[in-house]
Amino acid sequence: MADVFTSAGEALVADIIDGTTSVPANWYVGWGTGADTADKTDTTLSTEATEARVITTDSQPSADVNRFTGTITADGTKTITNAGILSASTGGTLLLFSDFSGVALNASDSIQFQFDLTWS
């Protein structure tokens, strides 16, 4: 799973740094079931699933890495193919996006996601 720092995410961070906008109160992880290849131009998850986005736990494991971790639990049988970090519980800006081989889930199964934004 490779995390893509989206163009919209880059613009949001630039606006936070220059004071044009405030840092979101929380970051959220969401997931989707659609077929997509993560790209810098993406602005939404691919076919976002029915579960609510989950507030992430944020950390900085090294000076140049911001880490976002969150676990989502399935509300039914589905195959998850993508996930992302967003600036709001609905809508918002897609900061990081990743696609991967489908993970088949049954109701109550969960996936813990860890996204690293590396500043290099």
Side-chain angles (χ1 to χ4, degrees):
M1 178 168 96
D3 305 337
V4 174
F5 188 19
T6 67
S7 295
E10 289 175 354
L12 175 62
V13 171
D15 288 346
I16 290 169
I17 290 170
D18 74 12
T20 304
T21 192
S22 300
V23 177
N26 295 297
W27 294 101
Y28 295 83
V29 63
W31 64 10
T33 60
D36 192 9
T37 300
D39 186 82
K40 287 194 72 66
T41 62
D42 288 320
T43 58
T44 61
L45 297 171
S46 180
T47 314
E48 190 162 358
T50 53
E51 294 79 8
R53 296 175 185 170
V54 174
I55 294 173
T56 62
T57 300
D58 307 331
S59 62
Q60 189 175 7
S62 64
D64 64 344
V65 175
N66 293 98
R67 179 169 289 161
F68 307 87
T69 305
T71 302
I72 303 177
T73 301
D75 62 10
T77 301
K78 59 189 71 189
T79 300
I80 302 302
T81 58
N82 63 92
I85 301 299
L86 301 108
S87 64
S89 60
T90 60
T93 300
L94 181 62
L95 180 75
L96 298 168
F97 187 46
S98 186
D99 66 277
F100 42 87
S101 296
V103 178
L105 302 175
N106 292 311
S108 300
D109 287 346
S110 62
I111 299 175
Q112 181 181 56
F113 295 98
Q114 178 178 295
F115 285 82
D116 285 346
L117 178 55
T118 303
W119 304 93
S120 56

